[in-house]
Amino acid sequence: MKLADAYLDKQNYKLSSKQFLKVLKKAPHHLPAHIGYVMALERIGRTKQLCTVALAYGNATKIAIQLGVKGDDGVEVDVNKVGDGEYSERNKGGMAEAILRRALTVAKSCSKYEEKMMTLVRLSEIAHTYVLAADVYYLIGLEIVQHGTTTVVDGEGEMEEAMQAFEVANAFIRHFMLETATTTAEGEDDDDALFYHAGSMLELGKIALSREDNVKEGIEYVEKALRKSDELEEDGKVEALVLLGQAKQSMGDLDGSIQNYKLALDLPSVGKSTAKAHHQLAIALLTKKKGGDNNVKEQDIENHFEQALELGMDPTPEAIAVLGEHNIHVMRSVNRAQWDAYNKAMESEKGGGSGGIMSGGGLGSSSQSVFAPQKETVEQEQQAEDALSLLEQGAVAYDGNVPTGGEGDSSLGAVHRRSSAT
């Protein structure tokens, strides 16, 4: 172990992985060696091999759960006590949670959608706390929404799959809160106060708002997400406020929508969502001015359109009508949009896209749902018996020299060093 750690510290990842492998062949359940080995593989890996690395981190997670290792707070993680006690909260799942969250981070960077989905589904089976399981299913739903076909006409099946994943995430949180929550705020319903996954509620709201005659339902989902805004990423908070503003604007509530857009702009800038807030606010102000509100200044409308374009939004007819075709912000955004279109066309010519997850091209030969029981192949059964199988696959696959994993990933590195010392 000392030699393997020394190579790892010197960033000689190939030699480090070989030394860790020697340790693992003698002691297949030695957790520090598992962690060090996968970290070394990740850092010498190539992008197309990231799913293998993510599954190897998942393998290390299983070992951590089996060993019942303790987190920083001293709470033992016992697979037979899933959801029981304080360690079921986010980041309270001990060392096993730290490893699995690293696996999820790596899995999100997998290049192929089908492989990414298969990897997330397999990692969901390893999650050992309710909150962690909810987060995994949220990621599964998010991937279906982002990369699957999600139009109402052509992708209703994919949309329903995404909604199912988000509802599963909500169910895990509800189960956890039923076991741990003792009181709720006065006058609040349990469901409104605590029992749902904030990110999943936001995504359910987006889906509802994308469908006709579902505005009120969408508003309810988004408002619930904002009640737990501390669980949302900064981009999610801005996006939720913009969605709420758009929904109110569609119902004729201009003052309410303007208030939401301004709240979104009070938050730190996060790129596209902030750009959309500027754009929608400009449109709302323009509508008010056309309606006879003399308190709205034309300069404010122009400024918000320009800010939207500067933050990366493509030029819209509304922005061009107000600013003019020769406005410097309009011209820059037009050039950027044309360049992006050219790059997309070139990528499309180089290699066609593969079918969605429902096409049967990624999750085996069948087109079964990702939520259907996964049939174990002979190879998978062998992997379950042999703790080294995934890692040995990774050792064969990795021959690159471009670091991909956070060398500054202090949390997992600390876990490895702390484990090695024990």
Side-chain angles (χ1 to χ4, degrees):
M1 278 293 295
K2 290 183 179 179
L3 184 58
D5 284 332
Y7 282 133
L8 189 64
D9 290 338
K10 292 180 179 179
Q11 300 182 12
N12 192 332
Y13 302 126
K14 287 186 178 181
L15 288 179
S16 177
S17 65
K18 290 180 180 179
Q19 292 300 320
F20 281 125
L21 183 58
K22 289 180 181 179
V23 175
L24 289 171
K25 286 182 177 179
K26 294 181 180 179
H29 293 83
H30 192 260
L31 182 58
H34 271 276
I35 298 173
Y37 186 72
V38 183
M39 289 173 68
L41 290 180
E42 180 185 0
R43 292 174 184 178
I44 63 174
R46 294 174 295 182
T47 302
K48 64 180 182 180
Q49 300 293 343
L50 288 177
C51 283
T52 300
V53 175
L55 290 173
Y57 272 122
N59 208 44
T61 303
K62 292 179 183 178
I63 301 298
I65 295 173
Q66 291 170 8
L67 294 176
V69 294
K70 297 181 179 181
D72 291 337
D73 54 5
V75 179
E76 184 172 341
V77 179
D78 187 345
V79 71
N80 296 316
K81 297 180 180 179
V82 174
D84 204 33
E86 291 184 356
Y87 64 83
S88 290
E89 298 175 24
R90 188 170 281 104
N91 300 321
K92 291 287 187 177
M95 191 181 298
E97 177 170 353
I99 301 170
L100 187 55
R101 288 201 179 278
R102 182 60 191 166
L104 294 174
T105 298
V106 174
K108 288 190 293 183
S109 299
C110 293
S111 57
K112 293 184 179 179
Y113 169 63
E114 293 84 0
E115 291 182 6
K116 183 188 300 186
M117 288 299 299
M118 175 63 80
T119 301
L120 288 173
V121 169
R122 292 185 63 182
L123 292 177
S124 72
E125 299 168 358
I126 303 172
H128 57 291
T129 72
Y130 290 133
V131 175
L132 186 52
D135 288 345
V136 179
Y137 273 94
Y138 164 69
L139 289 177
I140 290 174
L142 203 59
E143 287 300 325
I144 297 174
V145 169
Q146 291 178 344
H147 299 284
T149 303
T150 54
T151 61
V152 175
V153 176
D154 298 324
E156 189 65 22
E158 285 81 358
M159 187 79 81
E160 292 301 324
E161 287 247 315
M163 293 175 65
Q164 187 178 355
F166 297 135
E167 291 295 358
V168 170
N170 286 332
F172 274 118
I173 296 298
R174 181 174 181 80
H175 200 94
F176 164 60
M177 296 308 301
L178 283 172
E179 288 195 0
T180 59
T182 55
T183 60
T184 58
E186 185 176 352
E188 282 188 313
D189 180 79
D190 285 349
D191 287 333
D192 290 335
L194 297 169
F195 298 160
Y196 53 84
H197 187 273
S200 294
M201 277 296 179
L202 176 57
E203 293 302 321
L204 287 169
K206 289 163 66 175
I207 293 173
L209 291 172
S210 70
R211 295 172 167 176
E212 294 182 3
D213 302 325
N214 266 356
V215 176
K216 289 185 178 180
E217 181 184 3
I219 288 176
E220 290 177 3
Y221 280 130
V222 176
E223 286 181 338
K224 281 187 176 183
L226 284 170
R227 290 193 187 105
K228 297 181 74 173
S229 61
D230 58 315
E231 295 183 8
L232 297 174
E233 300 290 339
E234 288 301 320
D235 183 64
K237 296 175 186 178
V238 176
E239 187 178 19
L241 288 166
V242 172
L243 283 170
L244 204 54
Q246 287 181 284
K248 291 179 179 179
Q249 194 168 345
S250 70
M251 298 175 69
D253 183 6
L254 280 177
D255 290 332
S257 67
I258 289 172
Q259 181 180 7
N260 284 122
Y261 297 141
K262 288 183 176 180
L263 287 172
L265 294 176
D266 285 339
L267 296 173
S269 177
V270 290
K272 290 185 177 180
S273 293
T274 301
K276 196 167 187 178
H278 278 293
H279 184 267
Q280 292 301 131
L281 179 54
I283 291 177
L285 292 173
L286 181 61
T287 303
K288 286 201 72 173
K289 186 168 183 63
K290 288 181 177 179
D293 190 337
N294 295 323
N295 292 322
V296 178
K297 299 178 181 179
E298 289 186 8
Q299 187 62 47
D300 289 339
I301 298 172
E302 292 177 3
N303 287 341
H304 285 298
F305 274 132
E306 290 178 348
Q307 285 294 319
L309 295 174
E310 281 301 298
L311 288 171
M313 191 163 190
D314 289 342
T316 62
E318 295 89 348
I320 295 174
V322 170
L323 300 175
E325 294 181 356
H326 301 295
N327 178 279
I328 185 62
H329 301 283
V330 173
M331 291 190 291
R332 274 204 294 248
S333 63
V334 169
N335 289 336
R336 182 178 60 241
Q338 291 175 342
W339 178 248
D340 290 342
Y342 170 78
N343 285 331
K344 288 180 181 178
M346 293 297 292
E347 289 177 4
S348 179
E349 288 180 7
K350 289 180 180 178
S354 55
I357 189 169
M358 302 300 293
S359 67
L363 298 182
S365 59
S366 68
S367 58
Q368 65 177 7
S369 163
V370 294
F371 301 102
Q374 301 296 310
K375 296 181 180 179
E376 292 283 334
T377 63
V378 174
E379 182 182 359
Q380 289 173 328
E381 291 174 357
Q382 180 62 32
Q383 288 175 348
E385 296 174 359
D386 183 1
L388 292 181
S389 59
L390 283 172
L391 301 176
E392 290 172 335
Q393 292 176 29
V396 173
Y398 277 78
D399 56 3
N401 54 17
V402 180
T404 61
E407 295 180 19
D409 186 1
S410 57
S411 60
L412 196 56
V415 167
H416 168 68
R417 288 190 294 274
R418 184 167 62 249
S419 301
S420 300
T422 59

